[in-house]
Amino acid sequence: MNTIDKRKVVLVGTGFVGMSMAYSFLTSPGINELVLVDVMKEKAEGEAMDLSHGLPYAPSKMKIKAGDYSDCKDASIIVITAGAAQKPGQTRLELTGVNTRIMKSICEQIKESGFDGILVVASNPVDVLTYVAQKVTGLPAKRVIGSGTLLDTARLRYMISEYFDVNSKNVHAYIMGEHGDSSFVPWTSAYVGCKSLLELVDEQGKDLSDLLKIYEDVRDAAYQIIEKKKATYYGIGLSLNRLVHAILDNENAVMTVSTQQNGEYGQEGIYIGVPAIVNKEGLREIVSLPLNEVDQAKFNHSCDELRNTILEVVNPIINE
């Protein structure tokens, strides 16, 4: 049996983000086995027990247990959420040093297990740590995917849907770039239903500055939530659920994930958030949007920020 057909998911890291995803699996059928791995083994055991006790009310049967890295060998997907938490006022990139070391250690153990499935990274800073995961595991780049700007895009669609009073599922707009402060919205490729969002703004006599305000609210959402409740986890938990099912169900879904660039937007080698088609092979292909000069400059800036961090902080740790 192909590993993807086993529909076995290993979660590394049983913090708020990982467990929000794990809990969401109870209400969305399609996972046969869920294994929780954490450096705090009793935490993983307790979480597995707690989740299992809800199975009588879940829509489908699922085996849930605490395990270790040996469970990775025949997993369909491994989702990594482990890492040091973001602190109030701390940018995602400031987390880089400590979390690079954590990611390196995790991925060395995953590699040792013989894992040959698809690796999903959600630890922050996600673009940099997805790069680390691919370099350390040696897996093909198309099978190492970061959550990228999935959550940012969900926030954008929600806020646009509120602004225009339409269903968020009919909003087709994307956040591209770093999952962080240098992200941007390619507004010329944004649609409400089949209508250009910019045309809709013009037709309804709305102010373009409102779009800037929406983007700023998206960009700053994590900081506001962290200030109010110390962490964000429900939104990213559901985003990861969506990504896992898109892979397992071979959906060929367009999702804004962090993936290795191969010249599609004039960049090479680094991981960054772009629209891409996701299926059971992992990444099928990157979707190339026609960026105008302003958006291309923003994308290049985002890439430069990540590349500098990789050269200065990440590569020296990988090569230790």
Side-chain angles (χ1 to χ4, degrees):
M1 179 185 289
N2 187 302
T3 56
I4 205 74
D5 296 327
K6 287 180 66 68
R7 304 183 76 89
K8 174 182 177 180
V9 177
V10 173
L11 168 64
V12 180
T14 59
F16 286 128
V17 171
M19 293 315 301
S20 293
M21 179 195 73
Y23 175 74
S24 74
F25 285 159
L26 287 182
T27 61
S28 53
I31 311 295
N32 293 336
E33 183 176 357
L34 175 64
V35 182
L36 308 181
V37 177
D38 199 289
V39 66
M40 299 170 61
K41 292 185 178 181
E42 287 196 351
K43 171 76 159 58
E45 290 170 357
E47 295 286 9
M49 291 173 64
D50 200 4
L51 286 176
S52 296
H53 296 164
L55 284 172
Y57 303 121
S60 64
K61 183 179 179 182
M62 175 168 54
K63 181 180 179 182
I64 304 171
K65 70 170 188 174
D68 55 36
Y69 287 101
S70 65
D71 289 290
C72 294
K73 181 177 177 60
D74 63 344
S76 306
I77 300 173
I78 297 174
V79 181
I80 304 175
T81 62
Q86 186 177 4
K87 298 176 182 177
Q90 182 184 42
T91 68
R92 293 178 178 91
L93 291 180
E94 288 172 344
L95 290 169
T96 300
V98 62
N99 278 346
T100 295
R101 286 189 166 84
I102 293 171
M103 184 61 65
K104 181 182 178 183
S105 174
I106 290 169
C107 290
E108 286 172 343
Q109 295 174 85
I110 288 173
K111 182 179 181 179
E112 187 177 344
S113 77
F115 172 69
D116 195 36
I118 295 170
L119 185 59
V120 172
V121 177
S123 309
N124 276 321
V126 68
D127 303 292
V128 170
L129 294 183
T130 308
Y131 168 90
V132 173
Q134 193 278 322
K135 292 298 181 186
V136 175
T137 62
L139 289 167
K142 72 175 186 177
R143 289 201 273 125
V144 181
I145 301 172
S147 56
T149 51
L150 266 182
L151 175 56
D152 313 71
T153 294
R155 288 169 172 157
L156 176 68
R157 289 176 175 171
Y158 167 74
M159 292 180 192
I160 290 173
S161 75
E162 291 287 291
Y163 181 71
F164 286 105
D165 193 22
V166 296
N167 191 310
S168 59
K169 289 181 172 60
N170 296 122
V171 175
H172 308 288
Y174 307 93
I175 294 279
M176 290 179 61
E178 172 213 355
H179 174 53
D181 298 337
S182 65
S183 65
F184 68 98
V185 184
W187 292 110
T188 54
S189 294
Y191 292 83
V192 175
C194 57
K195 194 168 192 67
S196 164
L197 185 144
L198 293 178
E199 285 184 18
L200 197 59
V201 167
D202 185 53
E203 282 183 7
Q204 296 187 5
K206 296 183 182 293
D207 197 322
L208 283 173
S209 64
D210 291 347
L211 299 185
L212 176 60
K213 177 64 165 58
I214 288 173
Y215 165 70
E216 290 174 344
D217 287 346
V218 170
R219 181 195 64 196
D220 299 338
Y223 298 117
Q224 294 175 18
I225 294 170
I226 289 168
E227 184 179 338
K228 294 176 186 296
K229 57 171 279 189
K230 310 304 181 188
T232 77
Y233 37 90
Y234 297 134
I236 185 59
L238 285 168
S239 299
L240 290 170
N241 178 313
R242 178 74 190 91
L243 177 56
V244 166
H245 279 88
I247 295 168
L248 291 177
D249 296 337
N250 196 30
E251 288 188 20
N252 290 310
V254 176
M255 312 186 80
T256 47
V257 291
S258 185
T259 187
Q260 189 182 83
Q261 297 301 292
N262 296 296
E264 293 84 359
Y265 290 96
Q267 298 288 338
E268 299 275 351
I270 64 166
Y271 273 78
I272 194 165
V274 294
I277 298 174
V278 176
N279 64 15
K280 67 179 181 180
E281 303 298 328
L283 180 89
R284 194 185 88 184
E285 64 185 273
I286 289 174
V287 177
S288 295
L289 297 180
L291 299 184
N292 60 33
E293 288 185 13
V294 172
D295 288 341
Q296 184 65 54
K298 290 177 180 177
F299 187 77
N300 292 342
H301 171 69
S302 212
C303 289
D304 290 342
E305 292 283 310
L306 293 169
R307 188 174 284 108
N308 290 338
T309 301
I310 287 168
L311 292 174
E312 295 174 15
V313 180
V314 174
N315 283 347
I317 294 173
I318 290 177
N319 297 325
E320 282 178 352

